[in-house]
């Protein structure tokens, strides 16, 4: 698949950093079949339940195993399609759609479930390059988002759903052909699922994401989302404290607990979660101590994950709680 307008060779198409623009709908040249909802004017937004719980596979490769989460009265079941479970990288598309929807709501526009955007605008916001491979991955991601089946008891917009739904009930790539017969992608058209549409439109539990989110690895992305959706802000004080096994469930990590502990140590050492600090604390003789690698033959001590919001965020445009501000989560009680 060839790329959409404008061509990727244009210097203005650089994806070095996400771009944020003022809310509104973009017009298209005369003769086009539809109006675009992109480019995005505003910040990247995510629905709070989508951030708090593990709905996506933490993998760049095809993930064919079902995912499940059942803890503290919350149930989630995710089934793969023939192309696998939607991944944390496929989630970028869902976040982009949620952001377009939130911007429309803030602008006082009528919001429907259908959204039309260009791959170029999506890639610019998420920091993806504009290569032919990125366009191919976009097609694959849309297929997984439409094919993955989700079942949950989390209510949205005051309603629950029995049975399974997909993130996108419809996903189409619209293109034209050049004189040479090559396809030129013009726009992506998707229909957002009822569940997520109601959650954003009616619940308004929407969180802003830090720009650096798209530069994070899979586990770091989930740590950021869990922290963003559940950790007290720096102004509120306090911290998110959770035992290692429960945190592993919330992150959606599928490998053994020992592997997860090792991965968290490296992440804590790198200290690169935007707006938040991660620590591992183990209990030794009833006292808390910073987690260290156990000596050979010694069993690992019980471990607690502690996440605190940074008092002064250094990310561009970030606020004191480590994000770019909230649309409606404070007044809606989303925390």
């Amino acid at each position: 698949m060839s790329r959409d307008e404008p061509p990727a060779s244009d210097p203005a198409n650089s994806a070095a950093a996400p771009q944020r623009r003022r809310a509104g709908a973009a017009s298209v040249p005369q003769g086009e079949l539809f109006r675009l909802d992109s480019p995005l004017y505003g910040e990247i937004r995510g629905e709070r339940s989508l951030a708090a719980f593990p709905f996506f596979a933490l993998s760049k490769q095809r993930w064919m195993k079902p995912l499940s989460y059942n803890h503290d009265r919350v149930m989630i079941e995710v089934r793969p399609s023939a192309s696998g479970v939607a991944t944390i990288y496929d989630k970028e598309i869902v976040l982009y759609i949620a952001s377009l929807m939130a911007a429309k709501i803030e602008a006082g526009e009528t919001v429907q479930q259908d959204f039309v955007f260009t791959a170029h605008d999506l890639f610019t916001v998420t920091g993806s390059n504009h290569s032919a491979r990125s366009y191919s991955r976009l097609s694959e991601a849309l297929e997984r988002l439409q094919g993955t089946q989700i079942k949950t008891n989390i209510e949205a917009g005051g309603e629950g759903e029995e049975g399974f739904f997909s993130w996108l009930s419809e996903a189409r790539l619209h293109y034209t052909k050049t004189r040479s017969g090559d396809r030129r992608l013009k726009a992506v058209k998707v229909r957002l699922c009822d569940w997520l549409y109601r959650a954003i439109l009616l619940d308004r539990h929407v969180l802003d994401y830090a720009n650096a989110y798209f530069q994070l690895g899979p586990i770091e992305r989930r740590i950021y989302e869990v922290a963003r959706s559940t950790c007290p802000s720096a102004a509120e004080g306090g911290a998110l404290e959770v035992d290692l096994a429960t945190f592993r469930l919330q992150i959606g990590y599928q490998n053994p607990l020992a592997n997860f502990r090792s991965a968290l140590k490296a992440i804590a050492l790198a200290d690169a979660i935007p707006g938040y600090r991660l620590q591992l604390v183990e209990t030794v003789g009833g006292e808390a101590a910073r987690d260290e690698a156990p000596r050979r033959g010694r069993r690992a001590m019980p471990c607690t994950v502690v996440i605190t919001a940074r008092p002064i965020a250094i990310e561009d445009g970030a606020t004191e709680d480590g994000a770019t501000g909230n649309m409606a989560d404070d007044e809606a009680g989303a925390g």
Side-chain angles (χ1 to χ4, degrees):
M1 179 183 299
S2 61
R3 49 211 68 169
D4 56 353
E5 298 287 2
S9 58
D10 189 332
N13 297 346
S14 172
Q19 296 182 6
R20 306 287 185 258
R21 286 165 277 191
R22 182 181 169 190
S27 61
V28 293
Q30 186 175 4
E32 294 292 348
L33 299 178
F34 34 66
R35 292 182 62 85
L36 295 175
D37 296 305
S38 71
L40 174 64
Y41 298 89
E43 304 299 330
I44 281 293
R45 312 287 178 86
E47 199 278 327
R48 186 173 183 266
S49 293
L50 236 58
F53 301 107
F55 284 96
F56 295 83
L58 301 182
S59 174
K60 277 190 174 181
Q61 309 301 321
R62 179 182 297 185
W63 187 269
M64 298 303 300
K65 299 178 182 179
L67 305 176
S68 63
Y69 176 89
N70 201 324
H71 179 75
D72 196 22
R73 295 178 293 180
V74 173
M75 180 278 296
I76 298 170
E77 183 179 347
V78 182
R79 293 181 182 177
S81 66
S83 57
V85 170
T87 72
I88 193 71
Y89 293 98
D90 301 337
K91 187 177 184 177
E92 292 178 356
I93 300 173
V94 177
L95 291 176
Y96 188 69
I97 297 168
S99 303
L100 291 173
M101 183 172 175
K104 281 176 166 285
I105 292 172
E106 285 190 336
E109 298 179 28
T110 301
V111 180
Q112 305 296 332
Q113 288 178 252
D114 292 330
F115 293 87
V116 181
F117 56 90
T118 67
H120 173 270
D121 292 331
L122 169 69
F123 295 159
T124 298
V125 167
T126 61
S128 301
N129 61 53
H130 296 253
S131 66
R133 180 56 182 147
S134 292
Y135 286 81
S136 177
R137 287 172 179 159
L138 170 61
S139 179
E140 296 166 0
L142 290 170
E143 183 176 346
R144 283 189 294 270
L145 289 169
Q146 188 175 13
T148 297
Q149 297 288 296
I150 307 100
K151 184 178 183 179
T152 182
N153 63 355
I154 300 174
E155 295 181 352
E159 298 181 24
E161 291 191 12
E162 290 288 342
F164 289 83
F165 62 87
S166 298
W167 297 118
L168 304 177
S169 57
E170 181 181 326
R172 298 182 183 180
L173 299 177
H174 291 265
Y175 64 90
T176 58
K177 281 193 174 182
T178 65
R179 291 181 179 179
S180 62
D182 293 332
R183 294 193 303 175
R184 182 173 291 275
L185 180 62
K186 302 300 293 184
V188 181
K189 183 177 181 180
V190 299
R191 176 166 293 174
L192 193 61
C193 66
D194 294 345
W195 183 85
L196 187 52
Y197 175 76
R198 291 198 312 270
I200 298 173
L201 180 65
L202 301 178
D203 294 335
R204 304 288 180 94
H205 292 176
V206 178
L207 304 172
D208 291 354
Y209 276 52
N211 293 351
Y213 171 84
F214 297 108
Q215 282 72 58
L216 299 176
I219 302 175
E220 290 92 333
R221 290 188 182 200
R222 283 296 301 136
I223 292 173
Y224 173 79
E225 290 185 315
V226 170
R228 183 71 187 96
S229 58
T230 60
C231 184
S233 68
E236 294 170 331
L240 170 65
E241 298 186 17
V242 58
D243 68 87
L244 187 67
T246 300
F247 193 61
R248 173 175 168 267
L249 288 176
Q250 195 166 7
I251 294 298
Y253 189 83
Q254 298 296 308
N255 291 327
L257 190 63
N259 296 37
F260 184 55
R261 182 171 184 154
S262 178
L264 288 189
K265 288 178 183 177
I267 292 171
L269 183 63
D271 194 25
I273 305 297
Y276 297 93
R277 185 185 181 199
L278 171 73
Q279 292 178 292
L280 300 183
V281 177
E282 68 176 18
T283 303
V284 182
E287 295 183 359
R290 182 168 295 180
D291 187 24
E292 298 176 353
R295 297 174 183 173
R296 184 173 298 179
R298 172 188 147 201
R299 291 188 65 183
M301 295 293 180
C303 181
T304 299
V305 179
V306 180
I307 302 178
T308 53
R310 300 183 191 277
I312 300 177
I314 60 174
E315 290 77 29
D316 182 27
T319 58
E320 194 176 58
D321 63 356
T324 52
N326 305 331
M327 179 181 89
D329 50 337
D330 290 336
E331 61 189 40

